[in-house]
Amino acid sequence: MKKNFVISIVLLVICFGLTITAIVFNALEKVDLTTYIAMAATGTAFLSCLFGINSWKEK
């Protein structure tokens, strides 16, 4: 399998995990942790998109 594609899938799974964790912390009303975890999820999703786009260039 393509290296960048595998990295993209792993980052996508991490992003979903961070998003679910942020929702749980939001329900527990821990606003500071929710903000940081949501920012981490956004950064992870951005990196996943970059690796996904780069996987199209591989042959």
Side-chain angles (χ1 to χ4, degrees), residues 1 3-4 15 21 23 25-26 30 32 35 41 44-45 59:
M1 222 184 247
K3 179 182 173 184
N4 284 332
C15 176
T21 306
I23 291 170
F25 279 127
N26 192 23
K30 297 187 178 186
D32 292 337
T35 304
T44 307
K59 289 187 178 181

Side-chain angles (χ1 to χ4, degrees), residues 17-37:
L18 287 172
T19 303
I20 291 169
T21 306
I23 291 170
V24 168
F25 279 127
N26 192 23
L28 296 174
E29 297 180 0
K30 297 187 178 186
V31 178
D32 292 337
L33 288 176
T34 302
T35 304
Y36 294 131
I37 293 172

Side-chain angles (χ1 to χ4, degrees), residues 4-58:
N4 284 332
F5 179 74
V6 172
I7 294 172
S8 176
I9 295 297
V10 169
L11 288 173
L12 186 66
V13 169
I14 292 171
C15 176
F16 280 130
L18 287 172
T19 303
I20 291 169
T21 306
I23 291 170
V24 168
F25 279 127
N26 192 23
L28 296 174
E29 297 180 0
K30 297 187 178 186
V31 178
D32 292 337
L33 288 176
T34 302
T35 304
Y36 294 131
I37 293 172
M39 287 190 298
T42 303
T44 307
F46 177 73
L47 289 175
S48 177
C49 289
L50 287 180
F51 279 106
I53 290 171
N54 284 336
S55 71
W56 291 345
K57 296 178 184 177
E58 292 180 345

